Amino acid sequence: MKKYTNTGSKDTRSGFGAGMTELGQKNENVVALCADLIGSLKFDDFKKNHPERFFQIGIAEANMIGIAAGLTIGGKIPFTGTFANFSTGRVYDQIRQSVAYSDKNVKICASHAGLTLGEDGATHQILEDIGLMKMLPGMTVINTCDYNQTKAATLALADHHGPAYLRFGRPVVPNFTPADEPFVIGKAILLNEGTDVTIVATGHLVWEALIAAEALEAKGISAEVINIHTIKPLDEEAILKSLAKTKCVVTAEEHNILGGLGESVSRVLALNNPAPQEFAAVNDSFGESGTPEQIMEKYKLTNQAIVEAVERVIKRK
């Protein structure tokens, strides 16, 4: 089994900020819009270096989406930024009508996603955003796992034409993907090969899946680990190729069990190769206040929870 090393924990939102800094230097058509959260979204360098291409909209998220859609008509590539809850739930009508329906080249970038927002509590911990966004026709949905991957995804989105949703987080997490690894939208990354079970993980749960795979190896269970950074379009080929070997799957995500990556994988299995599946996800509930570690433990989004899900699904083979 390949071992992965944390080269220094960082928050994924800082990867987004680094990507925006680089895009500001390389692509004069890239513009940034923020809803009163410059520091939280790490827009500081972009604003400082390109004030003419930075728009502070204030606490008016719906207006921000409408302005972004309009800017695309003139050939600009707008990246909007606010918390995930405000990037999706608050402005869903504007996204549907002004961006998705008219296929506008807007990049909706959302920090503080999922439970790991922590102490801010359930009102800010959106767990439905992947479901909301993946249902929109033509919308690309990306959920990155670490700093390096978030930076790479940000750069890749500037070259991708069409509406897209980029989801990342607030907490400091392990940074383990290669800094020079190309980000290919829609292409899964096989992290570890295995024969007994497939673990399909996204976002912060990818690192937890790798830790789980090591624990499973000690128990004599060979786990294949796949990093799904792009939830839509989903790399169905990679999933089916893995399932042809392992015959069962566990999906792991910091999202509601309804509407997320797990259900997308279930659809692939139902249409192509039905197989036992277990889920590591939030079981149809809202979050609550607490440290990220406390909440992830309570809602069973840990490496131990993945191990337990694997043990359940193997019994169903």
Short mmCIF file of all heavy atoms in Angstrom, two decimals, residues 17-64:
data_model
loop_
_atom_site.label_atom_id
_atom_site.label_comp_id
_atom_site.label_asym_id
_atom_site.label_seq_id
_atom_site.Cartn_x
_atom_site.Cartn_y
_atom_site.Cartn_z
N GLY A 17 -7.20 30.87 -2.48
CA GLY A 17 -6.61 32.19 -2.53
C GLY A 17 -5.33 32.22 -3.34
O GLY A 17 -5.09 33.14 -4.13
N ALA A 18 -4.50 31.17 -3.18
CA ALA A 18 -3.26 31.09 -3.94
C ALA A 18 -3.55 30.93 -5.43
O ALA A 18 -2.86 31.50 -6.28
CB ALA A 18 -2.42 29.92 -3.44
N GLY A 19 -4.58 30.15 -5.75
CA GLY A 19 -4.96 29.99 -7.14
C GLY A 19 -5.44 31.30 -7.75
O GLY A 19 -5.11 31.62 -8.90
N MET A 20 -6.22 32.06 -6.99
CA MET A 20 -6.70 33.35 -7.49
C MET A 20 -5.55 34.34 -7.69
O MET A 20 -5.55 35.11 -8.65
CB MET A 20 -7.73 33.93 -6.52
CG MET A 20 -9.06 33.19 -6.51
SD MET A 20 -9.88 33.11 -8.12
CE MET A 20 -10.15 34.86 -8.47
N THR A 21 -4.57 34.30 -6.80
CA THR A 21 -3.40 35.16 -6.96
C THR A 21 -2.68 34.86 -8.27
O THR A 21 -2.32 35.77 -9.02
CB THR A 21 -2.43 34.98 -5.77
OG1 THR A 21 -3.08 35.40 -4.57
CG2 THR A 21 -1.16 35.79 -5.97
N GLU A 22 -2.51 33.58 -8.55
CA GLU A 22 -1.83 33.18 -9.79
C GLU A 22 -2.67 33.52 -11.02
O GLU A 22 -2.14 34.01 -12.04
CB GLU A 22 -1.51 31.70 -9.75
CG GLU A 22 -0.67 31.22 -10.92
CD GLU A 22 -0.14 29.81 -10.74
OE1 GLU A 22 0.12 29.41 -9.59
OE2 GLU A 22 0.02 29.11 -11.76
N LEU A 23 -3.97 33.29 -10.94
CA LEU A 23 -4.84 33.63 -12.07
C LEU A 23 -4.83 35.13 -12.35
O LEU A 23 -4.90 35.56 -13.51
CB LEU A 23 -6.27 33.16 -11.80
CG LEU A 23 -6.54 31.67 -11.94
CD1 LEU A 23 -7.98 31.36 -11.55
CD2 LEU A 23 -6.28 31.20 -13.37
N GLY A 24 -4.77 35.93 -11.29
CA GLY A 24 -4.73 37.37 -11.48
C GLY A 24 -3.53 37.81 -12.30
O GLY A 24 -3.61 38.75 -13.10
N GLN A 25 -2.43 37.10 -12.13
CA GLN A 25 -1.22 37.42 -12.87
C GLN A 25 -1.25 36.90 -14.30
O GLN A 25 -0.70 37.52 -15.21
CB GLN A 25 -0.01 36.84 -12.14
CG GLN A 25 0.19 37.38 -10.73
CD GLN A 25 1.17 36.54 -9.91
OE1 GLN A 25 1.58 35.45 -10.33
NE2 GLN A 25 1.54 37.04 -8.74
N LYS A 26 -1.91 35.76 -14.51
CA LYS A 26 -1.84 35.07 -15.79
C LYS A 26 -2.98 35.37 -16.74
O LYS A 26 -2.82 35.26 -17.97
CB LYS A 26 -1.79 33.56 -15.57
CG LYS A 26 -0.51 33.06 -14.93
CD LYS A 26 -0.53 31.54 -14.79
CE LYS A 26 0.78 30.98 -14.27
NZ LYS A 26 0.75 29.50 -14.14
N ASN A 27 -4.15 35.71 -16.22
CA ASN A 27 -5.33 35.83 -17.07
C ASN A 27 -6.07 37.13 -16.76
O ASN A 27 -6.73 37.25 -15.74
CB ASN A 27 -6.25 34.62 -16.85
CG ASN A 27 -7.35 34.51 -17.88
OD1 ASN A 27 -7.79 35.51 -18.44
ND2 ASN A 27 -7.81 33.29 -18.14
N GLU A 28 -5.96 38.08 -17.66
CA GLU A 28 -6.54 39.40 -17.41
C GLU A 28 -8.07 39.39 -17.47
O GLU A 28 -8.71 40.36 -17.04
CB GLU A 28 -6.01 40.41 -18.43
CG GLU A 28 -6.37 40.10 -19.87
CD GLU A 28 -5.80 41.09 -20.86
OE1 GLU A 28 -4.93 41.90 -20.45
OE2 GLU A 28 -6.21 41.06 -22.04
N ASN A 29 -8.65 38.31 -17.95
CA ASN A 29 -10.11 38.23 -18.01
C ASN A 29 -10.72 37.72 -16.70
O ASN A 29 -11.94 37.81 -16.50
CB ASN A 29 -10.55 37.32 -19.16
CG ASN A 29 -10.43 38.00 -20.51
OD1 ASN A 29 -10.70 39.19 -20.63
ND2 ASN A 29 -10.02 37.25 -21.51
N VAL A 30 -9.89 37.19 -15.81
CA VAL A 30 -10.40 36.72 -14.53
C VAL A 30 -10.71 37.91 -13.63
O VAL A 30 -9.88 38.79 -13.42
CB VAL A 30 -9.38 35.79 -13.85
CG1 VAL A 30 -9.78 35.51 -12.40
CG2 VAL A 30 -9.26 34.48 -14.62
N VAL A 31 -11.94 37.90 -13.10
CA VAL A 31 -12.36 38.92 -12.14
C VAL A 31 -12.90 38.21 -10.90
O VAL A 31 -13.31 37.05 -10.96
CB VAL A 31 -13.43 39.86 -12.74
CG1 VAL A 31 -12.87 40.62 -13.93
CG2 VAL A 31 -14.68 39.08 -13.13
N ALA A 32 -12.88 38.92 -9.78
CA ALA A 32 -13.32 38.33 -8.51
C ALA A 32 -14.42 39.19 -7.90
O ALA A 32 -14.34 40.43 -7.92
CB ALA A 32 -12.15 38.20 -7.56
N LEU A 33 -15.43 38.52 -7.37
CA LEU A 33 -16.53 39.19 -6.68
C LEU A 33 -16.67 38.58 -5.30
O LEU A 33 -16.64 37.35 -5.16
CB LEU A 33 -17.85 39.05 -7.45
CG LEU A 33 -17.94 39.62 -8.86
CD1 LEU A 33 -17.42 38.62 -9.89
CD2 LEU A 33 -19.38 39.98 -9.19
N CYS A 34 -16.84 39.41 -4.29
CA CYS A 34 -16.92 38.91 -2.93
C CYS A 34 -18.09 39.54 -2.19
O CYS A 34 -18.43 40.71 -2.42
CB CYS A 34 -15.62 39.22 -2.19
SG CYS A 34 -15.51 38.46 -0.56
N ALA A 35 -18.71 38.76 -1.31
CA ALA A 35 -19.85 39.25 -0.53
C ALA A 35 -19.40 39.54 0.90
O ALA A 35 -19.81 38.88 1.85
CB ALA A 35 -20.98 38.23 -0.56
N ASP A 36 -18.52 40.52 1.04
CA ASP A 36 -18.10 41.04 2.35
C ASP A 36 -17.28 40.05 3.15
O ASP A 36 -17.31 40.08 4.38
CB ASP A 36 -19.33 41.50 3.16
CG ASP A 36 -18.96 42.52 4.23
OD1 ASP A 36 -18.07 43.35 3.97
OD2 ASP A 36 -19.56 42.48 5.32
N LEU A 37 -16.53 39.17 2.48
CA LEU A 37 -15.74 38.17 3.20
C LEU A 37 -14.35 38.03 2.56
O LEU A 37 -13.89 36.91 2.28
CB LEU A 37 -16.47 36.82 3.19
CG LEU A 37 -17.72 36.74 4.05
CD1 LEU A 37 -18.52 35.48 3.73
CD2 LEU A 37 -17.35 36.75 5.54
N ILE A 38 -13.68 39.14 2.36
CA ILE A 38 -12.39 39.12 1.67
C ILE A 38 -11.39 38.25 2.40
O ILE A 38 -10.74 37.39 1.80
CB ILE A 38 -11.85 40.56 1.53
CG1 ILE A 38 -12.76 41.39 0.63
CG2 ILE A 38 -10.43 40.52 0.94
CD1 ILE A 38 -12.39 42.86 0.58
N GLY A 39 -11.24 38.44 3.70
CA GLY A 39 -10.27 37.67 4.46
C GLY A 39 -10.62 36.20 4.53
O GLY A 39 -9.76 35.33 4.39
N SER A 40 -11.89 35.91 4.74
CA SER A 40 -12.32 34.52 4.86
C SER A 40 -12.11 33.74 3.57
O SER A 40 -11.85 32.53 3.60
CB SER A 40 -13.79 34.45 5.27
OG SER A 40 -13.98 34.98 6.56
N LEU A 41 -12.26 34.41 2.43
CA LEU A 41 -12.09 33.74 1.13
C LEU A 41 -10.68 33.88 0.59
O LEU A 41 -10.40 33.40 -0.51
CB LEU A 41 -13.10 34.31 0.12
CG LEU A 41 -14.44 33.59 0.01
CD1 LEU A 41 -14.29 32.20 -0.58
CD2 LEU A 41 -15.17 33.51 1.34
N LYS A 42 -9.80 34.57 1.33
CA LYS A 42 -8.41 34.74 0.94
C LYS A 42 -8.26 35.51 -0.38
O LYS A 42 -7.41 35.18 -1.22
CB LYS A 42 -7.69 33.38 0.86
CG LYS A 42 -7.82 32.55 2.13
CD LYS A 42 -7.23 33.25 3.34
CE LYS A 42 -7.32 32.41 4.59
NZ LYS A 42 -6.75 33.09 5.79
N PHE A 43 -9.09 36.52 -0.54
CA PHE A 43 -9.03 37.37 -1.72
C PHE A 43 -8.05 38.53 -1.56
O PHE A 43 -7.94 39.37 -2.46
CB PHE A 43 -10.43 37.96 -2.00
CG PHE A 43 -11.33 37.11 -2.83
CD1 PHE A 43 -12.66 36.93 -2.47
CD2 PHE A 43 -10.89 36.50 -3.99
CE1 PHE A 43 -13.53 36.18 -3.24
CE2 PHE A 43 -11.74 35.73 -4.78
CZ PHE A 43 -13.06 35.56 -4.40
N ASP A 44 -7.36 38.62 -0.44
CA ASP A 44 -6.55 39.80 -0.12
C ASP A 44 -5.54 40.16 -1.21
O ASP A 44 -5.44 41.31 -1.64
CB ASP A 44 -5.82 39.60 1.21
CG ASP A 44 -6.75 39.18 2.33
OD1 ASP A 44 -7.16 38.00 2.34
OD2 ASP A 44 -7.07 40.01 3.20
N ASP A 45 -4.76 39.16 -1.65
CA ASP A 45 -3.73 39.43 -2.66
C ASP A 45 -4.34 39.83 -3.99
O ASP A 45 -3.83 40.75 -4.66
CB ASP A 45 -2.85 38.19 -2.85
CG ASP A 45 -1.87 38.00 -1.71
OD1 ASP A 45 -1.71 38.93 -0.90
OD2 ASP A 45 -1.27 36.90 -1.62
N PHE A 46 -5.41 39.17 -4.39
CA PHE A 46 -6.05 39.51 -5.66
C PHE A 46 -6.54 40.95 -5.62
O PHE A 46 -6.35 41.73 -6.56
CB PHE A 46 -7.20 38.56 -5.95
CG PHE A 46 -7.75 38.69 -7.35
CD1 PHE A 46 -7.34 37.82 -8.34
CD2 PHE A 46 -8.66 39.69 -7.68
CE1 PHE A 46 -7.83 37.93 -9.65
CE2 PHE A 46 -9.15 39.81 -8.97
CZ PHE A 46 -8.73 38.93 -9.96
N LYS A 47 -7.16 41.34 -4.53
CA LYS A 47 -7.68 42.69 -4.40
C LYS A 47 -6.55 43.72 -4.42
O LYS A 47 -6.65 44.77 -5.07
CB LYS A 47 -8.47 42.83 -3.11
CG LYS A 47 -9.02 44.23 -2.89
CD LYS A 47 -9.64 44.39 -1.50
CE LYS A 47 -10.08 45.83 -1.29
NZ LYS A 47 -10.56 46.06 0.10
N LYS A 48 -5.46 43.42 -3.72
CA LYS A 48 -4.33 44.34 -3.65
C LYS A 48 -3.66 44.52 -5.01
O LYS A 48 -3.32 45.64 -5.41
CB LYS A 48 -3.32 43.82 -2.63
CG LYS A 48 -2.05 44.67 -2.53
CD LYS A 48 -1.07 44.04 -1.54
CE LYS A 48 0.23 44.85 -1.49
NZ LYS A 48 1.20 44.24 -0.53
N ASN A 49 -3.48 43.42 -5.72
CA ASN A 49 -2.74 43.45 -6.98
C ASN A 49 -3.59 43.84 -8.18
O ASN A 49 -3.05 44.35 -9.18
CB ASN A 49 -2.10 42.09 -7.24
CG ASN A 49 -1.08 41.71 -6.18
OD1 ASN A 49 -0.39 42.57 -5.64
ND2 ASN A 49 -0.98 40.43 -5.87
N HIS A 50 -4.91 43.63 -8.10
CA HIS A 50 -5.78 43.90 -9.24
C HIS A 50 -7.07 44.57 -8.77
O HIS A 50 -8.17 44.02 -8.95
CB HIS A 50 -6.10 42.59 -9.98
CG HIS A 50 -4.89 41.75 -10.26
ND1 HIS A 50 -3.99 42.05 -11.25
CD2 HIS A 50 -4.44 40.62 -9.64
CE1 HIS A 50 -3.02 41.14 -11.24
NE2 HIS A 50 -3.28 40.28 -10.28
N PRO A 51 -6.97 45.75 -8.19
CA PRO A 51 -8.17 46.40 -7.65
C PRO A 51 -9.22 46.69 -8.71
O PRO A 51 -10.43 46.72 -8.40
CB PRO A 51 -7.62 47.69 -7.04
CG PRO A 51 -6.32 47.93 -7.74
CD PRO A 51 -5.76 46.57 -8.01
N GLU A 52 -8.80 46.87 -9.96
CA GLU A 52 -9.75 47.16 -11.03
C GLU A 52 -10.54 45.92 -11.45
O GLU A 52 -11.54 46.03 -12.16
CB GLU A 52 -9.00 47.73 -12.24
CG GLU A 52 -8.22 46.75 -13.09
CD GLU A 52 -6.91 46.24 -12.44
OE1 GLU A 52 -6.56 46.73 -11.33
OE2 GLU A 52 -6.26 45.38 -13.06
N ARG A 53 -10.09 44.75 -11.00
CA ARG A 53 -10.77 43.50 -11.34
C ARG A 53 -11.40 42.83 -10.11
O ARG A 53 -11.81 41.68 -10.18
CB ARG A 53 -9.79 42.53 -12.01
CG ARG A 53 -9.41 42.95 -13.42
CD ARG A 53 -8.71 41.81 -14.14
NE ARG A 53 -7.28 41.80 -13.92
CZ ARG A 53 -6.54 40.69 -13.83
NH1 ARG A 53 -7.11 39.51 -13.93
NH2 ARG A 53 -5.25 40.78 -13.64
N PHE A 54 -11.47 43.57 -9.03
CA PHE A 54 -12.08 43.05 -7.81
C PHE A 54 -13.32 43.87 -7.46
O PHE A 54 -13.27 45.10 -7.44
CB PHE A 54 -11.09 43.08 -6.65
CG PHE A 54 -11.69 42.56 -5.37
CD1 PHE A 54 -11.72 41.19 -5.11
CD2 PHE A 54 -12.25 43.42 -4.45
CE1 PHE A 54 -12.28 40.71 -3.95
CE2 PHE A 54 -12.82 42.94 -3.28
CZ PHE A 54 -12.84 41.59 -3.03
N PHE A 55 -14.41 43.17 -7.17
CA PHE A 55 -15.68 43.84 -6.88
C PHE A 55 -16.20 43.39 -5.52
O PHE A 55 -16.53 42.22 -5.32
CB PHE A 55 -16.71 43.52 -7.96
CG PHE A 55 -16.26 43.92 -9.35
CD1 PHE A 55 -15.59 43.00 -10.16
CD2 PHE A 55 -16.47 45.20 -9.83
CE1 PHE A 55 -15.17 43.35 -11.42
CE2 PHE A 55 -16.04 45.56 -11.10
CZ PHE A 55 -15.39 44.64 -11.90
N GLN A 56 -16.25 44.33 -4.58
CA GLN A 56 -16.81 44.05 -3.26
C GLN A 56 -18.30 44.38 -3.32
O GLN A 56 -18.70 45.54 -3.38
CB GLN A 56 -16.11 44.91 -2.20
CG GLN A 56 -16.72 44.83 -0.80
CD GLN A 56 -16.75 43.42 -0.23
OE1 GLN A 56 -17.65 42.63 -0.53
NE2 GLN A 56 -15.76 43.10 0.58
N ILE A 57 -19.12 43.34 -3.33
CA ILE A 57 -20.56 43.52 -3.51
C ILE A 57 -21.26 43.77 -2.18
O ILE A 57 -22.35 44.34 -2.13
CB ILE A 57 -21.17 42.28 -4.20
CG1 ILE A 57 -20.37 41.93 -5.47
CG2 ILE A 57 -22.64 42.51 -4.55
CD1 ILE A 57 -20.30 43.05 -6.49
N GLY A 58 -20.64 43.35 -1.08
CA GLY A 58 -21.29 43.48 0.21
C GLY A 58 -22.20 42.30 0.49
O GLY A 58 -22.21 41.30 -0.23
N ILE A 59 -22.99 42.44 1.55
CA ILE A 59 -23.87 41.34 1.95
C ILE A 59 -25.10 41.36 1.05
O ILE A 59 -26.21 41.73 1.45
CB ILE A 59 -24.24 41.43 3.43
CG1 ILE A 59 -22.96 41.52 4.27
CG2 ILE A 59 -25.04 40.20 3.86
CD1 ILE A 59 -23.20 41.74 5.73
N ALA A 60 -24.87 40.99 -0.20
CA ALA A 60 -25.92 41.00 -1.23
C ALA A 60 -25.59 39.89 -2.23
O ALA A 60 -25.29 40.14 -3.40
CB ALA A 60 -25.97 42.37 -1.92
N GLU A 61 -25.66 38.67 -1.74
CA GLU A 61 -25.20 37.52 -2.52
C GLU A 61 -25.97 37.33 -3.82
O GLU A 61 -25.38 36.97 -4.85
CB GLU A 61 -25.27 36.25 -1.67
CG GLU A 61 -24.31 36.22 -0.50
CD GLU A 61 -24.85 36.89 0.76
OE1 GLU A 61 -25.97 37.46 0.69
OE2 GLU A 61 -24.17 36.86 1.80
N ALA A 62 -27.27 37.55 -3.80
CA ALA A 62 -28.06 37.40 -5.02
C ALA A 62 -27.61 38.40 -6.08
O ALA A 62 -27.50 38.08 -7.27
CB ALA A 62 -29.54 37.57 -4.72
N ASN A 63 -27.33 39.61 -5.63
CA ASN A 63 -26.83 40.63 -6.54
C ASN A 63 -25.48 40.23 -7.11
O ASN A 63 -25.19 40.45 -8.30
CB ASN A 63 -26.73 41.97 -5.80
CG ASN A 63 -26.56 43.15 -6.74
OD1 ASN A 63 -27.08 43.14 -7.85
ND2 ASN A 63 -25.86 44.16 -6.29
N MET A 64 -24.64 39.62 -6.27
CA MET A 64 -23.31 39.18 -6.72
C MET A 64 -23.42 38.18 -7.87
O MET A 64 -22.68 38.27 -8.86
CB MET A 64 -22.55 38.57 -5.55
CG MET A 64 -21.18 38.03 -5.91
SD MET A 64 -20.24 37.44 -4.48
CE MET A 64 -21.18 35.99 -4.02
#
